[in-house]
Amino acid sequence: MSGKDTEVATSHSLEVIWPILNLTAILYVVFIAMGFLRMKFTKWYKRYKYFRSLPSPEYSPIFGNMHLVPADGEGRLKLTISAMENIHPKFLIFWMTPITPHIIIYHPDFMRAITTSTAAYKSRGFGASYEMGLPWIGEGLITSNGQTWARSRKLLNPAFHSHVLRNYIDVFNQCADKLIKRCDKLAETGESFDIFPLMTKYSLEVTMKCIVGHHEADVICFEDGIHPYAEAVFELTESWIKRFWNPLHWPELMYRCTSRGRSFFKQCDFVHKVADAVIEKRKRIVENGEIPQSKHLDFIDILLSARDEDGQPMTPLEIRQQVDTFMFAAHDTSASSLSFTLYNLAKHQIYQRKVQEEVDAVLNGRDSEDVLWEDLSMLKMLTLCNKESMRLYPPVPIVGRTMMKDIEVDGVNIPSGTRLHIGTIYMHRNPAVWDKPDEYIPERFLDEDIDKFAYVPFSAGPRNCIGQNFAKNEISVILSRLLHRYEFQIAPGYERPVRQLSSILKSTNGIWLTLKRRNM
């Protein structure tokens, strides 16, 4: 055979073999992919079957459990409380989609295991609650995880030491003086008013002064109407939770196409500008050596001077994220606690009188009505009444977590990757945990045997609220000042708060009260 013939034969052979080799390669890849997908599907199906075996409301293969969810917050609360009382007293599987199970926990046994576990991270990723807050507060202390959170927590701890907190008492009293001027006018007219906006303005001023010593806070919080920053925070918290309950809005691109999504990101830009402005102003003051001679160290001063173990300061973005976080968390949570506590004391007059007698014993006979640091430990009845109010109306009703490792709780295996909702608002009214859970009984907290994981308005474990003592002191000061001066009543025609299940507990119909000056 000639060389030419051999070349032709070889070429012909390759033309036959190459398609076979290509087909074989393609079939091999398809086989491997199918094997991988089968393995993934088998793993997913095993997980799916496991979660389907756990207690859950009526399941729909199309909607999961979402078809059961009412549009209003009060309805959603009643749905879960009914399941808690009738399906399982400790936990519940809730299907956000037909293939997306979440666990809602509302019992101390689960609370203890989850909040103390280092494997319980704040829920992040697609469809996770905290992921939806990132455009607003970024990697702040509320949303961050792992080393980012640990570094931030360590750098921020000095801001909440008792020697720093005690100097904020003057700020609380100064802001209370301005609030009382507004309340005096309400007492003169006897008109009904919504206490929540008033407490929001007060808490916002306190927060701004303690964060940056911001002198403009003297005027922005007590002008007519609500300050734009407070309005923005209200809208952001409402949009945050509404997005979470609507899976169609989980993809950011789709959310940005909605009117609410566009408004959300617009408000994010606004609050960022507010935070950037106060940070820049404080930096200029420090750089120019114009720090005012104040009795307290501002939160921003601590952030600007903080250094980690390697001597590295916080970046401007890190400072902005922490300022955004505390401007949100500090003032909104305090406003919620104050408003619902005054509501409960107006509703339960016998306890209002007990608190007033206690406060009178502390403040009567003084030249000033200011509450002192030393007074706080004497306000025992006030503390009991505030704790009972936060049991019934916890400022942060639900907290999200994601398990990074498998964990077994009370004989139930919770696989890695499971998203959980710590249902504080449910556990605080769980009849398996509390006697007469829906009744206002402050004396229940005299019982020293109460499980500390049964009452967690400030969460628990290593990720508990870093600012809880700041909040408790602020609340004690303003409640003392108000109850020493006024008597509070439920406004005529007002029945009860209609709870709004947002990141911060509020009332969709306000909290309407009246007040009058006491006869001292």
Side-chain angles (χ1 to χ4, degrees), residues 10 38 59 91 108 117 126 146 190 258 267 290 294 344 353 414 464 492:
T10 302
R38 180 181 179 183
Y59 175 83
F91 76 100
S117 173
F126 182 73
T258 67
Q267 295 290 22
E290 301 172 356
S294 61
N344 278 305
R353 288 191 291 273
I414 302 177
N464 65 354

Side-chain angles (χ1 to χ4, degrees), residues 99-117:
I99 59 173
T100 312
H102 290 198
I103 299 181
I104 303 175
I105 63 172
Y106 37 73
H107 192 276
D109 293 345
F110 279 76
M111 193 71 62
R112 180 181 296 102
I114 299 303
T115 57
T116 59
S117 173

Side-chain angles (χ1 to χ4, degrees), residues 356-374:
Q356 288 168 332
E357 290 171 3
E358 178 180 76
V359 173
D360 292 348
V362 172
L363 297 183
N364 280 350
R366 294 183 181 177
D367 295 333
S368 168
E369 293 185 355
D370 283 1
V371 177
L372 307 178
W373 173 263
E374 294 76 15

Side-chain angles (χ1 to χ4, degrees), residues 261-319:
R262 289 191 295 271
S263 179
F264 176 84
F265 287 100
K266 179 181 178 181
Q267 295 290 22
C268 284
D269 291 339
F270 171 71
V271 296
H272 290 165
K273 288 178 182 178
V274 171
D276 286 338
V278 295
I279 293 169
E280 182 60 30
K281 181 176 180 178
R282 194 61 178 180
K283 285 179 66 177
R284 288 199 304 269
I285 290 175
V286 173
E287 291 169 356
N288 295 334
E290 301 172 356
I291 301 177
Q293 297 297 316
S294 61
K295 292 184 179 181
H296 68 273
L297 188 64
D298 297 327
F299 181 72
I300 192 68
D301 295 328
I302 295 174
L303 295 185
L304 290 169
S305 62
R307 298 293 184 273
D308 61 19
E309 295 176 348
D310 299 323
Q312 296 299 312
M314 301 181 77
T315 67
L317 178 60
E318 286 176 324
I319 293 176

Side-chain angles (χ1 to χ4, degrees), residues 218-247:
D218 289 337
V219 296
I220 65 172
C221 296
F222 288 89
E223 297 171 347
D224 291 337
I226 301 177
H227 184 256
Y229 183 87
E231 287 184 328
V233 169
F234 182 85
E235 181 177 332
L236 286 167
T237 54
E238 184 180 21
S239 297
W240 185 348
I241 197 67
K242 286 188 175 181
R243 182 185 177 190
F244 174 72
W245 283 105
N246 187 348

Side-chain angles (χ1 to χ4, degrees), residues 288-471:
N288 295 334
E290 301 172 356
I291 301 177
Q293 297 297 316
S294 61
K295 292 184 179 181
H296 68 273
L297 188 64
D298 297 327
F299 181 72
I300 192 68
D301 295 328
I302 295 174
L303 295 185
L304 290 169
S305 62
R307 298 293 184 273
D308 61 19
E309 295 176 348
D310 299 323
Q312 296 299 312
M314 301 181 77
T315 67
L317 178 60
E318 286 176 324
I319 293 176
R320 207 278 305 284
Q321 290 172 341
Q322 300 302 346
V323 168
D324 281 336
T325 295
F326 282 95
M327 278 191 167
F328 152 62
H331 94 270
D332 235 17
T333 52
S334 294
S336 178
S337 178
L338 284 165
S339 300
F340 283 107
T341 298
L342 286 170
Y343 162 76
N344 278 305
L345 291 174
K347 182 179 180 181
H348 304 278
Q349 289 289 314
I350 184 172
Y351 289 109
Q352 181 173 173
R353 288 191 291 273
K354 287 183 178 181
V355 172
Q356 288 168 332
E357 290 171 3
E358 178 180 76
V359 173
D360 292 348
V362 172
L363 297 183
N364 280 350
R366 294 183 181 177
D367 295 333
S368 168
E369 293 185 355
D370 283 1
V371 177
L372 307 178
W373 173 263
E374 294 76 15
D375 297 334
L376 298 179
S377 62
M378 303 170 63
L379 302 172
K380 300 185 185 303
M381 178 54 67
L382 183 149
T383 300
L384 292 176
C385 290
N386 179 236
K387 289 178 73 172
E388 178 68 342
S389 183
M390 287 196 292
R391 183 187 69 82
L392 291 170
Y393 300 95
V396 182
I398 298 175
V399 177
R401 292 285 189 272
T402 297
M403 294 309 303
M404 307 306 292
K405 296 179 181 178
D406 291 359
I407 186 174
E408 184 173 312
V409 184
D410 201 31
V412 179
N413 179 53
I414 302 177
S416 174
T418 301
R419 288 179 180 169
L420 303 100
H421 302 274
I422 299 174
T424 304
I425 196 165
Y426 307 125
M427 184 177 69
H428 282 185
R429 291 181 182 249
N430 190 340
V433 178
W434 300 94
D435 182 38
K436 300 178 180 179
D438 294 323
E439 295 186 22
Y440 186 78
I441 311 173
E443 292 89 350
R444 72 171 80 239
F445 285 100
L446 294 173
D447 183 359
E448 297 180 357
D449 295 329
I450 290 179
D451 190 328
K452 67 178 182 179
F453 289 95
Y455 174 74
V456 289
F458 298 102
S459 192
R463 295 208 61 156
N464 65 354
C465 175
I466 193 173
Q468 60 180 289
N469 288 326
F470 175 95

